[in-house]
């Protein structure tokens, strides 16, 4: 059971012990709109009087647009100073007397972390230089652009590899011929972020279209379901919303990570993959993979990251509850807020290889009954992780670019629940020895499913069959561009980026390379060839709406010149999306007799009343077929994961959208079930439009329609999305979204 107290930090941790977080610091001066400095009357300087700084103007209106930070609520509403490293910015310093650069010196000081030191790169002291040379993106620097009376316009550069976070800022004035000085500390802190627009930054992304999608886009899609029944969740990343930047910076600050490493995107992403779950470090989200969720929020009810991150920031407690797509959506938000290009990636039929042998092992006894105590591996219907874009100077050439990183707590890495970043290109090549956690992620996308017979303690296990194209299907993310309606129109298939074509010569060679590097205990399964004369196929399921009957069809073909008799057992289970069985729906046994060169089909029918009361959150099923050919002892085992789908919510709007003007939104849902939905409610939200709002709609009768309306006022012009979901005890996981264009 989780304690209400923050645990003691591990060695090297930077966990804060204060109970509440500091309020957001705001600049009290209105931002200047012009760079020019008006001439002010100046008193003559005396060598006996050290010039005193009166104010600092960060020129936010001028700086934040080229730095791509003007969209942050922290900047727009609270005038917080947010810039990106490797790119110059301008500030105006006003003093009580004109600074005489022949007799006095002005220095800027930037500090980050608890113990800032120049030698560790956590303190920078910048003497003001009167120089016409441009500042270099890999060096700290400050140069005088213009001096008019009491005002000085100064250009500053934070290097493209400096730590990311909140830098304290000071201005030092001192006489050159003595130690007399004054220090101005009245300025707000400066937030410095990663810079994917800067060629010298490790997160540099050259394509403008990709930067717009993977850094700036605040709404997207996450694919869920099964490889045969793909559906999408629209997700409000909301990285520019109120308190989100502050939360992202706070996560870097409290992660188990030295301040020196705050500028290394590899180490920041790895630390955040631990901080996004609560297993080790009182992180953002607590995972739960089955009900009840009564003391929190069911994972299927979340539509975005904003409320989760705000709740963690304001309470200092893990938010209940998340599952993989929630962890991934929140992780995308945090990475984009910090300036690291990121996307959520879904792998269908995703392997969970518990013992790192790169096979998913399923054991049966001699009667072909599964042995649950031995079957520790699993295949998730889908699993969602993240990719982040960065160079990898710590790896051999060619392994930069997209890196897989995962915040869902599955297995520990170096004693902590985290995974990655692992080079996607290294995974594709089977180079699983490259850091970090490539062997686990390789197995998720390219392990073989191997069935074994265990005949007891005194006999070796016997391989039944290796299925070479079961794992890692339809690896999906959103392609750059507008948010489109269906599950396929804006889907980008990444399967070829993670592995060669299944069953190809290259794919088999890559798999064996990975298994050898991992010293896999399953290499013995690849020593001998297999011969079979009866072929089995399990028909793909068509889309089935929840509340409908369905059927599975097994086709058996005898390719031999002799008759064959097949004993077949068919199990139908409801499952959690992680592949764990919840309840058995039914079991059927069949004896199939096949003449030579003939085919037959077996149909397994399931009625709605057989499964409705056994469904889990994701409405997932597994049909498991196990068969033995009497004459040859050939064995066939196959499972099919699928889900019944919830209905879509239909969303419409009354008229066009204009910034600052209210618009009425209508949404409706038809209950597909033959029973009443109790205490239903819609959840409405949209980045730049509305915070999440719960709208009760009472009970909804069997097969009846429910509709509601909500009036919202968009804040600003541009492409936006409205997200609406529905939840009740009887029906969950129904949602819909509407892409809109807000006019000025």
């Amino acid at each position: 059971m989780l304690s209400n107290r923050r645990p003691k930090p591990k060695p090297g941790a930077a966990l804060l012990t204060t109970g509440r977080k500091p309020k957001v610091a705001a600049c009290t001066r209105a931002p200047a709109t012009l760079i020019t400095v008006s001439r002010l009357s100046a008193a003559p300087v005396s060598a006996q009087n050290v010039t005193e700084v009166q104010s600092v103007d960060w020129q936010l209106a001028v700086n934040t647009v080229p730095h791509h930070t003007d969209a942050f609520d922290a900047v727009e509403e609270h005038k917080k100073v947010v810039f990106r490293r490797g790119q110059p910015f301008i500030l105006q310093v006003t003093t009580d007397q004109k600074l005489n650069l022949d007799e006095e010196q002005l220095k800027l000081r930037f500090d980050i972390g608890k113990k800032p030191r120049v030698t560790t790169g956590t303190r920078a002291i910048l003497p003001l230089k009167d120089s016409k040379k441009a500042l270099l993106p890999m060096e700290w620097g400050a140069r005088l652009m213009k001096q008019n009376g009491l005002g000085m316009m100064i250009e500053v550069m934070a290097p493209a590899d400096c730590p990311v976070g909140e830098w304290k800022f000071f201005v030092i004035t001192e006489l050159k011929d003595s130690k007399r000085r004054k220090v101005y500390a009245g300025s707000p802190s400066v937030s410095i972020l990663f810079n994917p627009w800067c060629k010298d930054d490790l997160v540099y992304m050259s394509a403008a279209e990709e930067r717009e999608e993977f850094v700036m886009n605040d709404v997207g899609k996450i694919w869920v379901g099964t490889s045969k029944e793909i559906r999408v969740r629209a997700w409000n990343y909301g990285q520019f919303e109120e308190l989100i930047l502050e939360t992202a910076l706070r996560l870097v600050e409290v992660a188990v990570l030295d301040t020196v490493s705050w500028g290394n995107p590899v180490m920041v992403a790895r630390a955040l993959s631990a901080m996004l779950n609560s297993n080790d470090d009182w992180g953002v989200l607590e995972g739960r993979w089955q009900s009840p969720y009564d003391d929190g929020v069911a994972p299927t009810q979340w539509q975005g990251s904003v409320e989760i991150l705000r709740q963690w920031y304001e309470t200092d407690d893990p938010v209940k509850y998340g599952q993989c797509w929630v962890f991934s959506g929140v992780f995308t938000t945090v990475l984009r807020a910090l300036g690291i290009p990121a996307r959520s990636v879904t792998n269908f039929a995703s392997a969970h290889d518990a013992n790192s042998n790169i096979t998913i092992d399923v054991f049966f006894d001699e009667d072909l009954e599964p042995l649950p105590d031995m079957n520790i591996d699993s295949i998730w219907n889908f699993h969602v992780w993240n990719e982040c874009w960065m160079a990898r100077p710590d790896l051999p050439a060619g392994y930069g670019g997209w890196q897989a990183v995962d915040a869902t707590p599955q297995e520990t890495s170096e004693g902590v629940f985290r995974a990655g970043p692992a080079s996607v290109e290294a995974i594709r090549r089977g180079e699983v020895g490259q850091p970090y956690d490539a062997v686990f992620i390789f197995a998720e996308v390219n392990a073989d499913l191997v069935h074994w017979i265990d005949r007891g303690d005194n006999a070796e296990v016997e391989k039944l069959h290796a299925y070479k194209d079961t794992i890692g299907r339809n690896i999906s993310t959103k392609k750059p561009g507008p948010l489109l309606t269906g599950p396929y129109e804006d889907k980008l298939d990444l399967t070829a980026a993670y592995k060669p074509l299944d069953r190809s010569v290259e794919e088999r060679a890559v798999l064996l390379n990975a298994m050898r590097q991992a010293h896999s205990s399953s290499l013995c399964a690849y020593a001998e060839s297999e011969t079979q004369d009866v072929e089995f196929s399990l028909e793909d399921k068509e889309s089935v709406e929840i509340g409908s009957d369905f059927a599975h069809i097994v086709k058996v073909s005898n390719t031999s010149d002799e008759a064959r008799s097949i004993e077949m057992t068919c199990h139908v289970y409801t499952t959690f999306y992680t592949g764990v069985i919840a309840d058995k729906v039914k079991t059927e046994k069949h004896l199939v007799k096949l003449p030579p060169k003939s085919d037959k089909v077996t149909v397994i029918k399931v009625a709605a009343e057989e499964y409705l009361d056994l469904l889990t959150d994701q409405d997932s099923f597994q049909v498991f077929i196990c068969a033995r050919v009497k004459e040859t002892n050939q064995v066939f085992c196959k499972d099919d994961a699928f889900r019944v789908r919830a209905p879509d919510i239909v969303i419409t709007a009354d008229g066009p959208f204009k910034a600052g003007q209210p618009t009425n939104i209508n949404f409706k849902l038809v209950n597909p079930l033959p029973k009443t939905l109790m205490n239903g409610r819609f959840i409405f939200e949209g980045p730049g439009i509305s915070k999440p709002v719960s709208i009760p709609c009472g009970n909804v009768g069997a097969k009846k329609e429910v509709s509601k309306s909500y009036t919202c006022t968009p804040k600003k012009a541009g492409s936006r999305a409205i997200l609406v979901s529905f939840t009740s005890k009887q029906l969950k996981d129904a949602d819909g979204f509407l892409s809109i264009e807000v006019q000025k």
Side-chain angles (χ1 to χ4, degrees), residues 29 189 197 240 277 310 463 502 527 536 568 613 620 671 699:
R29 292 181 56 84
S189 61
W197 287 265
F240 302 116
N277 66 70
R310 284 177 181 163
K463 186 191 77 170
D502 278 331
F536 298 82
M568 185 186 304
D613 292 335
S620 298
N671 175 11
N699 299 338

Side-chain angles (χ1 to χ4, degrees), residues 521-540:
S521 59
S522 297
L523 278 169
C524 61
Y526 297 82
E528 51 188 72
S529 61
E530 302 166 345
T531 57
Q532 300 176 349
D533 59 16
V534 177
E535 296 176 350
F536 298 82
S537 64
L538 192 56
E539 183 181 275
D540 290 349

Side-chain angles (χ1 to χ4, degrees), residues 236-252:
N236 175 15
Y237 294 122
Q239 66 267 34
F240 302 116
E241 297 291 306
E242 183 182 7
L243 289 182
I244 301 306
L245 176 61
E246 291 85 349
T247 306
L249 294 172
R250 176 77 172 181
L251 284 165
V252 174

Side-chain angles (χ1 to χ4, degrees), residues 282-294:
W282 217 244
V284 173
L285 266 170
E286 181 178 337
R288 178 168 287 184
W289 278 262
Q290 62 189 73
S291 58
Y293 307 109
D294 297 341

Side-chain angles (χ1 to χ4, degrees), residues 657-708:
F657 290 86
K658 291 186 177 181
Q661 296 187 14
T663 302
N664 196 53
I665 311 297
N666 311 298
F667 32 94
K668 62 182 179 180
L669 170 82
V670 176
N671 175 11
L673 302 183
K675 55 185 176 182
T676 299
L677 307 180
M678 307 299 292
N679 299 318
R681 59 189 175 99
F682 289 101
I683 301 172
F684 179 101
E685 71 176 286
I689 298 174
S690 173
K691 295 179 180 179
V693 177
S694 180
I695 304 171
C697 54
N699 299 338
V700 184
K703 306 293 183 178
K704 298 296 184 180
E705 180 182 288
V706 59
S707 61
K708 288 288 181 180

Side-chain angles (χ1 to χ4, degrees), residues 445-712:
V445 300
N446 206 17
D448 278 356
L449 171 63
V450 182
H451 287 170
W452 308 83
I453 286 183
D454 184 282
R455 303 185 187 278
D457 294 340
N458 298 317
E460 294 184 357
V461 293
E462 173 189 343
K463 186 191 77 170
L464 294 176
H465 190 66
Y467 299 91
K468 303 170 184 176
D469 56 2
T470 299
I471 306 298
R473 313 293 295 276
N474 298 323
I475 304 175
S476 305
T477 193
K478 182 185 176 297
K479 67 175 64 171
L483 194 70
L484 303 179
T485 303
Y488 297 102
E489 289 82 354
D490 51 2
K491 183 174 84 72
L492 178 63
D493 194 297
L494 301 177
T495 309
Y498 277 87
K499 61 179 181 178
L501 183 66
D502 278 331
R503 291 178 171 270
S504 67
V505 173
E506 182 185 6
E507 187 267 341
R508 291 290 92 189
V510 165
L511 175 68
L512 291 174
N513 177 46
M515 294 180 76
R516 292 187 185 104
Q517 289 192 27
H519 306 289
S520 171
S521 59
S522 297
L523 278 169
C524 61
Y526 297 82
E528 51 188 72
S529 61
E530 302 166 345
T531 57
Q532 300 176 349
D533 59 16
V534 177
E535 296 176 350
F536 298 82
S537 64
L538 192 56
E539 183 181 275
D540 290 349
K541 278 301 314 144
E542 297 291 334
S543 176
V544 177
E545 187 172 72
I546 186 172
S548 301
D549 301 344
F550 61 85
H552 263 71
I553 297 175
V554 184
K555 182 180 179 181
V556 186
S557 303
N558 180 8
T559 64
S560 75
D561 296 323
E562 300 177 3
R564 293 288 182 255
S565 299
I566 297 98
E567 297 175 323
M568 185 186 304
T569 302
C570 308
H571 302 285
V572 181
Y573 303 101
T574 56
T575 67
F576 301 103
Y577 86 99
T578 58
V580 176
I581 291 173
D583 286 288
K584 179 184 285 189
V585 177
K586 67 189 309 181
T587 295
E588 294 182 0
K589 292 184 179 291
H590 299 265
L591 178 62
V592 181
K593 293 185 177 292
L594 286 175
K597 306 293 185 182
S598 64
D599 303 328
K600 281 190 178 180
V601 297
T602 298
V603 181
I604 303 102
K605 297 181 179 179
V606 180
E609 57 265 25
E610 292 181 281
Y611 71 77
L612 278 177
D613 292 335
L614 303 176
L615 288 174
T616 61
D617 299 333
Q618 297 286 314
D619 303 329
S620 298
F621 292 85
Q622 182 189 69
V623 173
F624 180 68
I625 310 296
C626 198
R628 186 196 298 270
V629 181
K630 282 187 173 183
E631 292 79 6
T632 63
N633 213 33
Q634 176 189 338
V635 172
F636 169 81
C637 297
K638 180 71 173 178
D639 63 78
D640 178 35
F642 71 99
R643 68 190 299 275
V644 289
R645 59 178 175 81
D648 293 328
I649 296 174
V650 178
I651 309 171
T652 58
D654 294 343
F657 290 86
K658 291 186 177 181
Q661 296 187 14
T663 302
N664 196 53
I665 311 297
N666 311 298
F667 32 94
K668 62 182 179 180
L669 170 82
V670 176
N671 175 11
L673 302 183
K675 55 185 176 182
T676 299
L677 307 180
M678 307 299 292
N679 299 318
R681 59 189 175 99
F682 289 101
I683 301 172
F684 179 101
E685 71 176 286
I689 298 174
S690 173
K691 295 179 180 179
V693 177
S694 180
I695 304 171
C697 54
N699 299 338
V700 184
K703 306 293 183 178
K704 298 296 184 180
E705 180 182 288
V706 59
S707 61
K708 288 288 181 180
S709 297
Y710 183 74
T711 300
C712 61

Side-chain angles (χ1 to χ4, degrees), residues 186-292:
S187 181
S189 61
V190 184
S191 297
I192 296 180
L193 308 180
F194 292 102
N195 192 350
W197 287 265
C198 174
K199 292 182 179 180
D200 296 287
D201 199 308
L202 290 177
V203 303
Y204 172 66
M205 178 172 266
S206 60
E209 182 185 36
E210 293 186 343
R211 290 195 301 264
E212 185 64 27
E213 178 68 34
F214 304 127
V215 181
M216 301 300 290
N217 199 348
D218 58 1
V219 68
K221 284 182 175 180
I222 300 177
W223 274 256
V224 297
T226 71
S227 62
K228 299 168 188 174
E229 178 61 32
I230 292 177
R231 63 181 293 264
V232 295
R233 287 180 175 274
W235 194 263
N236 175 15
Y237 294 122
Q239 66 267 34
F240 302 116
E241 297 291 306
E242 183 182 7
L243 289 182
I244 301 306
L245 176 61
E246 291 85 349
T247 306
L249 294 172
R250 176 77 172 181
L251 284 165
V252 174
E253 180 184 347
V254 302
V256 182
L257 189 65
D258 291 337
T259 309
V260 178
S261 298
W262 292 4
N264 183 340
V266 177
M267 302 313 297
V268 168
R270 182 159 173 78
L272 289 174
S273 75
M275 279 303 303
L276 265 292
N277 66 70
S278 65
N279 288 48
D280 306 292
D281 37 30
W282 217 244
V284 173
L285 266 170
E286 181 178 337
R288 178 168 287 184
W289 278 262
Q290 62 189 73
S291 58

